[in-house]
Coordinates of all heavy atoms in Angstrom, one line a residue:
M1 N 121.6 96.5 105.3 CA 121.4 95.1 104.9 C 121.3 95.0 103.4 O 120.7 95.9 102.8 CB 120.2 94.6 105.7 CG 120.1 93.1 105.8 SD 118.6 92.5 106.6 CE 119.1 92.5 108.3
E2 N 121.8 93.9 102.9 CA 121.7 93.7 101.4 C 120.3 93.5 101.0 O 119.4 93.0 101.7 CB 122.5 92.4 101.1 CG 121.9 91.2 101.7 CD 122.7 89.9 101.4 OE1 122.9 89.7 100.2 OE2 123.0 89.1 102.3
R3 N 120.0 94.0 99.8 CA 118.7 93.9 99.2 C 118.6 92.7 98.3 O 119.5 92.4 97.5 CB 118.4 95.2 98.3 CG 118.2 96.4 99.2 CD 116.8 96.5 99.8 NE 116.7 97.4 100.9 CZ 115.6 97.6 101.6 NH1 114.5 97.1 101.2 NH2 115.6 98.5 102.6
L4 N 117.6 91.9 98.4 CA 117.4 90.7 97.6 C 116.2 91.0 96.6 O 115.4 91.8 96.9 CB 117.1 89.6 98.5 CG 118.2 89.2 99.4 CD1 117.7 88.5 100.6 CD2 119.3 88.3 98.7
P5 N 116.1 90.1 95.5 CA 115.0 90.3 94.7 C 113.7 90.0 95.5 O 113.7 89.0 96.2 CB 115.2 89.2 93.6 CG 116.5 88.7 93.8 CD 117.1 89.1 95.1
P6 N 112.6 90.8 95.3 CA 111.4 90.6 96.1 C 110.9 89.2 95.9 O 110.8 88.6 94.8 CB 110.5 91.6 95.6 CG 111.3 92.7 95.0 CD 112.5 92.0 94.5
K7 N 110.5 88.6 97.0 CA 110.0 87.2 97.0 C 108.8 87.1 97.9 O 108.7 87.7 99.0 CB 111.1 86.3 97.6 CG 110.8 84.8 97.6 CD 112.0 84.1 98.1 CE 111.7 82.6 98.4 NZ 112.8 81.9 99.0
E8 N 107.8 86.4 97.5 CA 106.6 86.2 98.3 C 106.7 85.1 99.3 O 107.2 84.0 99.0 CB 105.4 85.9 97.4 CG 104.0 86.2 98.1 CD 102.9 86.3 97.1 OE1 102.4 85.2 96.7 OE2 102.5 87.4 96.8
I9 N 106.5 85.4 100.5 CA 106.7 84.5 101.7 C 105.4 84.4 102.4 O 104.6 85.3 102.6 CB 107.7 85.1 102.6 CG1 109.1 85.3 102.0 CG2 107.8 84.3 103.9 CD1 109.9 84.1 101.8
Q10 N 105.1 83.1 102.8 CA 103.9 82.9 103.7 C 104.4 82.6 105.1 O 105.2 81.8 105.3 CB 103.0 81.8 103.2 CG 101.7 81.7 103.9 CD 100.7 80.7 103.4 OE1 101.1 79.7 102.9 NE2 99.4 81.0 103.5
C11 N 103.8 83.4 106.0 CA 104.2 83.3 107.4 C 103.4 82.1 108.0 O 102.4 81.6 107.4 CB 103.8 84.5 108.2 SG 103.9 84.4 109.9
D12 N 103.8 81.6 109.1 CA 103.2 80.4 109.8 C 101.7 80.8 110.1 O 100.9 79.9 110.2 CB 103.9 80.0 111.1 CG 105.3 79.5 110.8 OD1 105.5 78.9 109.6 OD2 106.1 79.5 111.6
C13 N 101.4 82.0 110.3 CA 100.0 82.4 110.6 C 99.2 82.5 109.4 O 98.0 82.8 109.5 CB 100.0 83.8 111.4 SG 100.4 85.2 110.3
G14 N 99.7 82.3 108.2 CA 99.0 82.3 107.0 C 99.0 83.7 106.2 O 98.5 83.7 105.1
H15 N 99.6 84.7 106.8 CA 99.7 86.0 106.2 C 100.8 85.9 105.1 O 101.9 85.5 105.3 CB 100.1 87.0 107.2 CG 100.2 88.4 106.7 ND1 99.2 89.0 105.9 CD2 101.1 89.4 106.8 CE1 99.6 90.2 105.5 NE2 100.7 90.5 106.1
T16 N 100.4 86.3 103.9 CA 101.4 86.3 102.7 C 101.8 87.7 102.4 O 101.0 88.6 102.3 CB 100.7 85.6 101.5 OG1 100.2 84.4 101.9 CG2 101.7 85.4 100.4
F17 N 103.1 87.9 102.2 CA 103.6 89.2 101.8 C 104.9 89.1 101.1 O 105.5 88.0 101.1 CB 103.7 90.2 103.0 CG 104.4 89.6 104.2 CD1 105.7 89.9 104.5 CD2 103.8 88.7 105.0 CE1 106.4 89.3 105.5 CE2 104.4 88.1 106.1 CZ 105.7 88.4 106.4
T18 N 105.4 90.2 100.5 CA 106.6 90.2 99.7 C 107.8 90.8 100.6 O 107.6 91.8 101.2 CB 106.4 91.0 98.4 OG1 105.2 90.5 97.8 CG2 107.6 90.9 97.5
I19 N 108.9 90.1 100.6 CA 110.0 90.6 101.3 C 111.3 90.7 100.4 O 111.4 90.0 99.4 CB 110.4 89.8 102.6 CG1 110.8 88.4 102.2 CG2 109.2 89.8 103.5 CD1 111.3 87.6 103.4
D20 N 112.1 91.7 100.7 CA 113.4 91.8 99.9 C 114.6 91.9 100.8 O 115.6 92.4 100.5 CB 113.3 93.1 99.0 CG 113.1 94.3 99.8 OD1 113.0 94.3 101.0 OD2 113.1 95.4 99.2
R21 N 114.4 91.4 102.0 CA 115.5 91.3 103.0 C 115.5 89.8 103.5 O 114.6 89.1 103.5 CB 115.2 92.2 104.2 CG 115.6 93.7 103.8 CD 115.4 94.5 105.0 NE 114.0 95.0 105.2 CZ 113.6 95.6 106.3 NH1 114.3 95.7 107.4 NH2 112.3 96.0 106.4
R22 N 116.7 89.5 104.1 CA 116.9 88.1 104.6 C 116.0 87.8 105.8 O 115.5 86.7 105.9 CB 118.3 87.9 105.0 CG 119.3 87.7 103.8 CD 120.7 87.8 104.3 NE 121.0 86.6 105.1 CZ 122.0 85.8 104.8 NH1 122.8 86.0 103.8 NH2 122.2 84.7 105.6
R23 N 115.7 88.8 106.6 CA 114.8 88.6 107.7 C 113.8 89.8 107.8 O 114.2 90.9 107.5 CB 115.7 88.6 109.0 CG 114.9 88.0 110.2 CD 115.8 87.6 111.3 NE 116.1 88.7 112.1 CZ 116.2 88.6 113.4 NH1 116.1 87.5 114.0 NH2 116.6 89.7 114.1
Y24 N 112.6 89.4 108.2 CA 111.6 90.4 108.2 C 110.6 90.0 109.3 O 110.7 88.9 109.8 CB 110.8 90.4 106.9 CG 110.1 91.7 106.5 CD1 110.9 92.7 106.0 CD2 108.8 91.8 106.7 CE1 110.2 93.9 105.6 CE2 108.1 93.0 106.4 CZ 108.9 94.0 105.8 OH 108.2 95.2 105.5
W25 N 109.8 91.0 109.8 CA 108.8 90.6 110.8 C 107.5 90.6 110.2 O 107.1 91.6 109.5 CB 108.9 91.7 111.9 CG 110.3 91.8 112.5 CD1 111.3 92.6 112.2 CD2 110.9 90.9 113.5 NE1 112.4 92.4 112.9 CE2 112.2 91.3 113.7 CE3 110.4 89.8 114.2 CZ2 113.0 90.7 114.6 CZ3 111.2 89.1 115.1 CH2 112.5 89.6 115.3
C26 N 106.7 89.6 110.5 CA 105.3 89.5 110.0 C 104.5 90.7 110.6 O 104.6 91.0 111.7 CB 104.7 88.2 110.4 SG 103.0 88.0 110.0
E27 N 103.7 91.3 109.7 CA 102.9 92.5 110.1 C 101.7 92.0 110.9 O 101.2 92.8 111.7 CB 102.4 93.3 108.9 CG 103.6 93.8 108.1 CD 103.3 93.8 106.6 OE1 102.2 93.6 106.1 OE2 104.3 94.0 105.8
K28 N 101.3 90.8 110.8 CA 100.1 90.3 111.4 C 100.4 89.7 112.8 O 99.7 90.1 113.8 CB 99.4 89.2 110.6 CG 98.7 89.7 109.4 CD 97.2 90.0 109.7 CE 96.5 90.7 108.6 NZ 96.2 89.9 107.4
C29 N 101.4 88.8 112.9 CA 101.6 88.2 114.2 C 103.0 88.5 114.8 O 103.3 88.1 115.9 CB 101.6 86.6 114.0 SG 102.9 86.0 112.9
A30 N 103.8 89.4 114.1 CA 105.1 89.9 114.7 C 106.1 88.8 114.8 O 107.1 89.0 115.5 CB 104.9 90.7 116.0
N31 N 105.9 87.6 114.2 CA 107.0 86.6 114.2 C 108.0 86.9 113.1 O 107.7 87.5 112.1 CB 106.3 85.2 114.0 CG 105.8 84.6 115.2 OD1 106.4 84.8 116.3 ND2 104.7 83.9 115.1
P32 N 109.3 86.5 113.4 CA 110.3 86.6 112.3 C 110.0 85.7 111.1 O 109.6 84.6 111.3 CB 111.6 86.3 113.0 CG 111.2 85.5 114.2 CD 109.8 85.8 114.6
V33 N 110.2 86.2 109.9 CA 110.0 85.4 108.7 C 111.4 85.5 108.0 O 112.0 86.6 108.0 CB 108.9 85.8 107.8 CG1 107.5 85.3 108.4 CG2 108.8 87.3 107.6
Y34 N 111.8 84.5 107.3 CA 113.1 84.4 106.6 C 112.9 84.2 105.1 O 112.1 83.5 104.7 CB 113.9 83.3 107.2 CG 114.2 83.6 108.7 CD1 113.4 83.2 109.7 CD2 115.4 84.3 109.0 CE1 113.6 83.5 111.0 CE2 115.7 84.6 110.3 CZ 114.8 84.2 111.3 OH 115.1 84.5 112.6
Y35 N 113.8 84.9 104.4 CA 113.9 84.8 103.0 C 114.2 83.4 102.5 O 113.6 82.9 101.6 CB 114.9 85.8 102.4 CG 114.8 86.1 101.0 CD1 114.0 87.1 100.5 CD2 115.6 85.3 100.1 CE1 114.0 87.3 99.1 CE2 115.5 85.6 98.7 CZ 114.7 86.6 98.2 OH 114.7 86.8 96.9
Y36 N 115.2 82.8 103.2 CA 115.6 81.4 102.9 C 115.0 80.5 103.9 O 115.1 80.7 105.1 CB 117.1 81.3 102.9 CG 117.8 82.2 101.9 CD1 118.5 83.3 102.3 CD2 117.7 82.0 100.5 CE1 119.1 84.2 101.4 CE2 118.3 82.8 99.6 CZ 119.0 83.9 100.0 OH 119.6 84.8 99.1
E37 N 114.3 79.4 103.4 CA 113.7 78.5 104.3 C 114.6 77.9 105.3 O 114.3 77.7 106.5 CB 113.0 77.4 103.5 CG 112.1 76.5 104.2 CD 110.8 77.1 104.8 OE1 110.4 78.2 104.2 OE2 110.3 76.6 105.8
N38 N 115.9 77.6 104.9 CA 116.8 76.9 105.8 C 117.3 77.8 106.9 O 117.6 77.3 108.0 CB 118.1 76.4 105.0 CG 118.8 77.5 104.3 OD1 118.2 78.5 103.9 ND2 120.1 77.3 104.1
E39 N 117.2 79.1 106.7 CA 117.6 80.0 107.8 C 116.5 80.0 108.9 O 116.8 80.2 110.1 CB 117.8 81.5 107.3 CG 119.0 81.6 106.5 CD 119.4 83.1 106.3 OE1 118.8 84.0 106.8 OE2 120.4 83.3 105.6
K40 N 115.3 79.8 108.5 CA 114.2 79.7 109.4 C 114.4 78.4 110.3 O 114.3 78.5 111.5 CB 112.9 79.5 108.6 CG 111.6 79.4 109.5 CD 110.4 79.3 108.5 CE 109.2 79.0 109.3 NZ 108.0 78.8 108.4
N41 N 114.8 77.3 109.7 CA 115.1 76.1 110.4 C 116.3 76.3 111.4 O 116.3 75.8 112.5 CB 115.4 74.9 109.5 CG 114.1 74.6 108.7 OD1 113.0 74.8 109.1 ND2 114.3 74.0 107.5
T42 N 117.3 77.0 110.9 CA 118.5 77.3 111.7 C 118.1 78.1 112.9 O 118.5 77.9 114.1 CB 119.6 78.1 110.9 OG1 119.8 77.4 109.7 CG2 120.8 78.3 111.7
H43 N 117.2 79.1 112.7 CA 116.7 79.9 113.8 C 116.0 79.1 114.8 O 116.1 79.2 116.0 CB 115.8 81.0 113.2 CG 115.1 81.8 114.3 ND1 115.8 82.8 115.0 CD2 113.8 81.8 114.7 CE1 114.9 83.3 115.8 NE2 113.8 82.8 115.7
K44 N 115.1 78.2 114.3 CA 114.4 77.3 115.2 C 115.3 76.4 116.1 O 115.1 76.2 117.3 CB 113.4 76.4 114.5 CG 112.1 77.1 114.1 CD 111.1 76.2 113.4 CE 109.8 77.0 113.1 NZ 108.9 76.2 112.3
W45 N 116.4 75.9 115.4 CA 117.3 75.1 116.1 C 118.1 75.9 117.1 O 118.3 75.4 118.3 CB 118.3 74.5 115.0 CG 119.3 73.6 115.6 CD1 120.7 73.7 115.4 CD2 119.2 72.3 116.3 NE1 121.3 72.7 116.1 CE2 120.4 71.8 116.6 CE3 118.0 71.7 116.8 CZ2 120.6 70.6 117.3 CZ3 118.2 70.5 117.5 CH2 119.5 70.0 117.7
N46 N 118.5 77.1 116.8 CA 119.1 78.0 117.7 C 118.3 78.3 118.9 O 118.7 78.3 120.1 CB 119.5 79.3 117.1 CG 120.7 79.2 116.1 OD1 121.4 78.2 116.2 ND2 120.9 80.2 115.3
T47 N 117.0 78.5 118.7 CA 116.0 78.8 119.8 C 115.9 77.6 120.7 O 115.9 77.7 121.9 CB 114.6 79.1 119.2 OG1 114.8 80.1 118.2 CG2 113.7 79.6 120.2
F48 N 115.9 76.4 120.1 CA 115.9 75.2 120.9 C 117.1 75.0 121.7 O 117.0 74.7 122.9 CB 115.8 74.0 119.9 CG 115.9 72.6 120.6 CD1 114.9 72.2 121.4 CD2 117.0 71.9 120.4 CE1 115.0 70.9 122.0 CE2 117.1 70.6 121.1 CZ 116.1 70.2 121.9
L49 N 118.3 75.4 121.2 CA 119.5 75.3 122.0 C 119.5 76.3 123.1 O 120.0 76.0 124.2 CB 120.7 75.5 121.0 CG 121.1 74.4 120.1 CD1 122.3 74.8 119.2 CD2 121.4 73.1 120.8
I50 N 119.0 77.5 122.9 CA 118.9 78.5 123.9 C 118.0 78.0 125.1 O 118.3 78.1 126.2 CB 118.4 79.8 123.4 CG1 119.5 80.5 122.5 CG2 118.0 80.8 124.5 CD1 119.0 81.6 121.6
Y51 N 116.9 77.3 124.7 CA 116.0 76.8 125.7 C 116.7 75.7 126.5 O 116.6 75.6 127.7 CB 114.7 76.2 125.1 CG 113.7 77.2 124.8 CD1 113.1 77.3 123.5 CD2 113.2 78.1 125.8 CE1 112.1 78.2 123.2 CE2 112.2 79.0 125.5 CZ 111.7 79.1 124.2 OH 110.7 80.0 123.9
L52 N 117.5 74.9 125.8 CA 118.2 73.8 126.4 C 119.2 74.3 127.4 O 119.4 73.8 128.5 CB 118.9 72.9 125.3 CG 119.2 71.5 125.6 CD1 117.9 70.7 125.8 CD2 120.0 70.9 124.5
A53 N 120.0 75.4 127.0 CA 121.0 76.0 127.8 C 120.3 76.6 129.1 O 120.8 76.4 130.2 CB 121.7 77.0 127.0
A54 N 119.2 77.2 128.9 CA 118.4 77.8 130.0 C 118.0 76.7 131.0 O 118.1 76.9 132.2 CB 117.2 78.6 129.5
L55 N 117.5 75.6 130.4 CA 117.0 74.5 131.2 C 118.2 73.9 132.0 O 118.1 73.6 133.2 CB 116.4 73.4 130.3 CG 115.5 72.4 131.0 CD1 114.2 73.1 131.4 CD2 115.2 71.3 130.0
G56 N 119.4 73.8 131.4 CA 120.6 73.3 132.0 C 121.0 74.3 133.2 O 121.3 73.8 134.3
A57 N 120.9 75.6 132.9 CA 121.3 76.6 133.9 C 120.3 76.5 135.1 O 120.8 76.5 136.3 CB 121.3 78.0 133.3
I58 N 119.0 76.3 134.9 CA 118.0 76.2 135.9 C 118.3 75.0 136.7 O 118.2 75.0 138.0 CB 116.6 76.3 135.3 CG1 116.3 77.7 134.8 CG2 115.6 75.9 136.4 CD1 115.1 77.8 133.9
S59 N 118.5 73.9 136.0 CA 118.8 72.6 136.7 C 120.0 72.7 137.6 O 120.0 72.3 138.8 CB 119.1 71.5 135.7 OG 118.0 71.4 134.8
F60 N 121.1 73.4 137.1 CA 122.3 73.6 137.9 C 122.0 74.4 139.1 O 122.5 74.1 140.2 CB 123.4 74.2 137.0 CG 124.6 74.6 137.7 CD1 125.5 73.5 138.1 CD2 125.0 75.9 138.1 CE1 126.7 73.8 138.8 CE2 126.1 76.1 138.8 CZ 127.0 75.1 139.1
L61 N 121.3 75.5 139.0 CA 120.9 76.4 140.1 C 120.1 75.6 141.1 O 120.3 75.8 142.3 CB 120.2 77.6 139.6 CG 121.0 78.7 138.9 CD1 120.1 79.8 138.3 CD2 122.1 79.3 139.8
A62 N 119.2 74.8 140.6 CA 118.4 74.0 141.6 C 119.3 73.0 142.3 O 119.1 72.9 143.5 CB 117.3 73.2 140.8
Y63 N 120.2 72.4 141.6 CA 121.2 71.5 142.3 C 122.0 72.2 143.3 O 122.1 71.8 144.5 CB 122.1 70.9 141.2 CG 123.2 70.1 141.8 CD1 123.0 68.8 142.3 CD2 124.5 70.7 141.8 CE1 124.1 68.2 142.8 CE2 125.6 70.0 142.3 CZ 125.4 68.7 142.9 OH 126.4 68.1 143.4
V64 N 122.5 73.4 143.0 CA 123.3 74.2 143.9 C 122.5 74.6 145.1 O 122.9 74.5 146.3 CB 123.9 75.5 143.2 CG1 124.5 76.5 144.2 CG2 125.0 75.0 142.2
F65 N 121.2 75.0 144.9 CA 120.3 75.4 145.9 C 120.1 74.2 146.9 O 120.2 74.4 148.1 CB 119.0 75.9 145.3 CG 117.9 76.2 146.3 CD1 118.0 77.4 147.0 CD2 116.9 75.3 146.6 CE1 117.0 77.6 148.0 CE2 115.9 75.6 147.5 CZ 116.0 76.8 148.2
I66 N 119.8 73.1 146.4 CA 119.6 71.9 147.2 C 120.9 71.5 148.0 O 120.8 71.3 149.2 CB 119.1 70.7 146.4 CG1 117.7 71.0 145.9 CG2 119.1 69.4 147.2 CD1 117.2 70.1 144.7
E67 N 122.0 71.5 147.3 CA 123.3 71.1 147.9 C 123.7 72.1 149.0 O 124.2 71.7 150.0 CB 124.3 71.0 146.8 CG 125.6 70.3 147.2 CD 125.4 68.8 147.2 OE1 124.3 68.3 147.0 OE2 126.4 68.1 147.4
M68 N 123.6 73.4 148.7 CA 124.1 74.5 149.6 C 123.2 74.9 150.7 O 123.6 75.4 151.7 CB 124.5 75.7 148.7 CG 125.5 75.4 147.6 SD 127.1 75.0 148.1 CE 127.8 76.6 148.6
I69 N 121.9 74.8 150.4 CA 120.9 75.4 151.4 C 120.0 74.3 152.0 O 120.0 74.2 153.2 CB 120.0 76.5 150.7 CG1 120.9 77.7 150.3 CG2 118.9 77.0 151.6 CD1 120.3 78.6 149.3
V70 N 119.4 73.5 151.2 CA 118.4 72.6 151.7 C 119.1 71.5 152.6 O 118.7 71.2 153.7 CB 117.5 71.9 150.6 CG1 116.6 70.9 151.2 CG2 116.8 73.0 149.9
I71 N 120.2 70.9 152.1 CA 120.9 69.8 152.8 C 121.5 70.3 154.1 O 121.2 69.7 155.2 CB 121.8 69.0 151.9 CG1 121.0 68.3 150.8 CG2 122.7 68.1 152.7 CD1 121.9 67.6 149.7
P72 N 122.3 71.4 154.1 CA 122.8 71.9 155.4 C 121.7 72.3 156.3 O 121.9 72.1 157.5 CB 123.7 73.1 154.9 CG 123.9 72.9 153.5 CD 122.8 72.2 153.0
W73 N 120.7 72.9 155.8 CA 119.6 73.4 156.7 C 118.9 72.2 157.3 O 118.6 72.2 158.5 CB 118.6 74.2 155.8 CG 117.4 74.7 156.6 CD1 117.4 75.8 157.4 CD2 116.1 74.2 156.7 NE1 116.2 76.0 158.0 CE2 115.3 75.0 157.5 CE3 115.5 73.1 156.1 CZ2 114.0 74.7 157.8 CZ3 114.2 72.8 156.4 CH2 113.4 73.6 157.2
S74 N 118.6 71.1 156.5 CA 117.9 70.0 157.1 C 118.8 69.2 158.1 O 118.3 68.5 159.0 CB 117.4 69.1 156.0 OG 118.5 68.7 155.1
S75 N 120.1 69.3 157.9 CA 121.0 68.6 158.8 C 121.1 69.2 160.2 O 121.6 68.7 161.1 CB 122.4 68.4 158.2 OG 123.0 69.7 158.1
L76 N 120.6 70.5 160.2 CA 120.6 71.3 161.5 C 119.4 70.9 162.3 O 119.4 71.1 163.5 CB 120.6 72.8 161.2 CG 121.8 73.4 160.6 CD1 121.5 74.9 160.2 CD2 123.0 73.4 161.6
Q77 N 118.5 70.2 161.7 CA 117.2 69.9 162.5 C 117.5 68.8 163.5 O 118.2 67.9 163.2 CB 116.1 69.5 161.5 CG 115.8 70.5 160.4 CD 115.3 71.9 161.0 OE1 114.4 71.9 161.7 NE2 116.1 72.9 160.7
Ligands
ZN1 ZN1 102.5 86.0 110.8

């Protein structure tokens, strides 16, 4: 990974340290910290999209479950 000029970064947990890489892990709380502030925001946005995709998948599975199992099962009663 490319080396950058050392820069002091403050983590969300308040721990301050110097990094020379684009991405680093906080020694205190183990959260990722980013050299560039905008990459941190991109990461948060990506995380949000992953949650949204997971939520969509769960909703779809729930729909399939109701459609394929619950409705045919209840129509047998
Ligand atoms: Zn931290």
Side-chain angles (χ1 to χ4, degrees):
M1 197 182 272
E2 62 180 311
R3 291 278 161 176
L4 296 156
K7 182 179 170 182
E8 197 163 82
I9 299 282
Q10 188 174 34
C11 175
D12 292 337
C13 73
H15 182 50
T16 307
F17 49 101
T18 308
I19 65 171
D20 59 359
R21 280 185 276 166
R22 286 170 67 127
R23 195 163 83 142
Y24 206 80
W25 303 96
C26 176
E27 297 145 15
K28 285 267 171 74
C29 66
N31 273 328
V33 283
Y34 293 88
Y35 194 89
Y36 302 108
E37 190 67 24
N38 60 332
E39 286 195 7
K40 184 180 172 181
N41 294 335
T42 307
H43 174 75
K44 279 186 177 168
W45 182 238
N46 285 344
T47 309
F48 173 72
L49 288 179
I50 290 164
Y51 278 129
L52 205 68
L55 199 69
I58 291 164
S59 306
F60 177 73
L61 287 174
Y63 169 76
V64 168
F65 174 76
I66 291 164
E67 195 78 353
M68 305 290 283
I69 295 163
V70 177
I71 292 172
W73 181 79
S74 56
S75 67
L76 290 173
Q77 302 301 303

